[in-house]
Amino acid sequence: MVAPSVPLTCEACPNFERSLLGACQHAELSLVAGGKLHQAYSKGQVIFQQGSRAVGLYCVYQGKVKISKLSADGKEQIIRLAREGDVLCYRSLMMGQVCTTAATALTDCVVCLIPRPDFFSLLEQNSQFSNSLLRLMARNLGEAEERLLHTAYKPVRERLAEALLLLYQAFQPDTDTPFSIPVSREDLAALTGTTKETASRLLSEFRDEGLVATQGSRITVLSQPRLNQLASMYN
Amino acid sequence: MVAPSVPLTCEACPNFERSLLGACQHAELSLVAGGKLHQAYSKGQVIFQQGSRAVGLYCVYQGKVKISKLSADGKEQIIRLAREGDVLCYRSLMMGQVCTTAATALTDCVVCLIPRPDFFSLLEQNSQFSNSLLRLMARNLGEAEERLLHTAYKPVRERLAEALLLLYQAFQPDTDTPFSIPVSREDLAALTGTTKETASRLLSEFRDEGLVATQGSRITVLSQPRLNQLASMYN
DNA sequence: TTTATTAGTTGATCTGCATCATTTCTTTTC
DNA sequence: GAAAAGAAATGATGCAGATCAACTAATAAA
């Protein structure tokens, strides 16, 4: 794949505003600029593995990423999706632990890495940063609790609609041009908490009902409002 | 119920160490001491409701509490359990929102309340406090993600074993005296993500297998190790 | 292009758990 | 202590969704 041109400083990054680091001062950012690394991954490649040591804070420069957990019998649950500007691994880092999730590239992507010690320096020196992190974590926790409720009690059909909406948000470009989402039935199932067969069947229903269009493993959302409605029938 | 004798300052509280505030300095705690309130609730009473405004940080002085979410069709999912020293509502408070969960007394209890403005003063002035909160949230997030995985793919039997272990931890006294857990089949089901009938049936199996004893709606865990084993068959 | 490989679709079947219904056991309450 | 109310146990039934299997379409490799 083509070598990416990542700016030297985060301030020059197009995702700066959207990112956690948006809250940081110039001074601290130069620290980050000194230490940060970046790496390209092609679609399907693992960024970090469940069970590996958390080496630093990852920040998506380009592309989409899935964060997932594997159960012992090999079933995958996608916990959340990350896009440009989103950070990964902060939880494991905070807990001083091994990664409890894995991150995998959903598209070709480029991810920056702020080494562990620099992350902690930031955390200590910059209360803005720790505040942003606190709010990010609060938001993620709320989303996780919501999904827990839905996974426990909502039928698969509604959860699939939710999953499609999550994908829609993650893949939506900044300009409002039409777009399709490259995602396998298997990943769609892992995001929904079901099997690929059930995901395939229900997606066909959605297609027949005009909610989405499919071309192989590319999905185009045709009606966000109707998916929303479907997803929150119970809600 | 008997009037509780809550100490004036958090430092004098027997739960001080275990609590979030354990990280705070003397000076800031006097602020809290000035503003804090406390309230007794009897078993079954609601401490705060889903949808109500987050009025402050709750801290359990005595008793056990369930934090739960209600789905639109009236099904309840217990998100977590809180015991002496645990804080409630911090997430909603952080997000400056309405409460997305409800808290209900599982036993008679006494809960302190640190008003909203005092919470934010603490957060600003004390980096120890914000750090503790960050770690607490990270832990909770990890647990929520774990439960999401289990809820999606583990059979009810194993999730019930997990639920019993969670209850065991929440109700375990400091001294290692034997104890039983007062919890309805309905709450047990809400913690597991199933129906009361299924919870009842499986609990009877557990009783017959010698894992637990039951006397009405009191449950005694007889073998924590075997429950653990059962809960992590897949894990 | 042709072939090989992987991914998606669709059908048939099976089962875990929800739902509904009834009875029995506990708690309250009077 | 009897009556009423509530919670738990248990049986019968139905169905959503998992699993297994066979086939077809799409993508990658030769």
Side-chain angles (χ1 to χ4, degrees), chain B residues 48-56 58 89 92-93 96-99 116-117:
Chain B
F48 57 80
Q49 276 190 314
Q50 190 169 343
S52 67
R53 206 181 90 92
V55 295
Y58 296 84
C89 209
S92 307
L93 217 48
Q97 268 181 357
V98 144
C99 302
R116 193 187 182 91

Side-chain angles (χ1 to χ4, degrees), chain B residues 32-223:
Chain B
V32 174
K36 90 176 160 75
L37 305 165
H38 61 262
Q39 173 81 45
Y41 301 89
S42 44
K43 183 173 176 167
Q45 257 194 292
V46 172
I47 298 166
F48 57 80
Q49 276 190 314
Q50 190 169 343
S52 67
R53 206 181 90 92
V55 295
L57 184 71
Y58 296 84
C59 187
V60 181
Y61 176 72
Q62 207 166 76
K64 320 295 175 188
V65 175
K66 65 172 174 181
I67 289 86
S68 59
K69 281 179 91 78
L70 223 59
S71 75
D73 59 328
K75 283 174 185 162
E76 185 194 22
Q77 164 82 326
I78 297 180
I79 303 292
R80 61 191 180 93
L81 300 172
R83 59 173 299 161
E84 294 82 1
D86 288 339
V87 290
L88 316 175
C89 209
Y90 51 92
R91 208 198 59 78
S92 307
L93 217 48
M94 274 299 310
M95 300 292 290
Q97 268 181 357
V98 144
C99 302
T100 54
T101 54
T104 311
L106 284 176
T107 64
D108 288 352
C109 56
V110 179
V111 181
C112 295
L113 176 65
I114 297 166
R116 193 187 182 91
D118 296 349
F119 168 77
F120 284 108
S121 303
L122 263 182
L123 200 59
E124 272 178 42
Q125 289 166 31
N126 194 328
S127 67
Q128 287 280 28
F129 180 72
S130 82
N131 236 288
S132 299
L133 195 57
L134 209 48
R135 268 204 301 280
L136 174 64
M137 207 110 75
R139 178 147 36 88
N140 283 180
L141 183 55
E143 287 165 1
E145 290 174 355
E146 195 73 25
R147 283 189 69 196
L148 189 61
L149 179 69
H150 293 174
T151 302
Y153 297 125
K154 273 194 181 186
V156 176
R157 188 179 161 86
E158 298 183 20
R159 271 153 45 206
L160 185 73
E162 278 189 327
L164 286 167
L165 288 167
L166 282 178
L167 284 162
Y168 185 82
Q169 278 159 26
F171 282 83
Q172 190 169 37
D174 292 325
T175 58
D176 62 348
T177 45
F179 64 100
S180 68
I181 304 163
V183 64
S184 67
R185 298 294 181 273
E186 200 141 16
D187 276 343
L188 190 56
L191 189 56
T192 306
T194 185
T195 58
K196 56 180 187 299
E197 292 92 338
T198 299
S200 180
R201 266 184 259 269
L202 290 174
L203 193 68
S204 297
E205 287 182 24
F206 286 2
R207 181 174 19 75
D208 298 346
E209 294 165 23
L211 295 168
V212 300
T214 61
Q215 328 110 63
S217 79
R218 298 195 80 89
I219 300 172
T220 309
V221 171
L222 296 178
S223 172

